[in-house]
Amino acid sequence: MATGLGVPIDVVAGGGEDINAPLLAQMCRASPGGKLWAHPGYGATFPSALRAALQRRFGAAGVLDCRCSNGLKLAQYLGPVEGLPAK
């Protein structure tokens, strides 16, 4: 579906868990301009890769899911975010 809409799929993976890199890479390659960044243990280049993926301007709308452990909450949004409700 992303290919038909011309939307790139970027996957930024970090941490100590295994990922299915061949499947994710194929999915990213099938989308126009999609990229796969894999950072074992959240390497030094993880922040710059995540920043690059989040600052790309493609598509009409997008979703960023941010998941936190119980008891934590997202306190601040930074960057070019449009359409957020005023607080």
Side-chain angles (χ1 to χ4, degrees):
M1 179 175 213
T3 302
L5 295 173
V7 177
I9 297 174
D10 292 337
V11 176
V12 182
E17 298 297 320
D18 292 335
I19 62 169
N20 189 343
L23 175 65
L24 292 173
Q26 182 178 3
M27 180 178 68
C28 293
R29 277 194 306 269
S31 72
K35 296 182 181 181
L36 169 64
W37 289 284
H39 301 275
Y42 296 108
T45 58
F46 179 80
S48 61
L50 184 59
R51 187 177 307 109
L54 293 175
Q55 290 179 341
R56 291 177 63 161
R57 293 214 179 249
F58 287 99
V63 175
L64 171 66
D65 288 330
C66 183
R67 302 188 189 275
C68 300
S69 301
N70 290 337
L72 298 177
K73 66 179 183 175
L74 191 58
Q76 184 178 16
Y77 295 95
L78 298 174
V81 179
E82 298 172 3
L84 290 176
K87 293 186 179 187

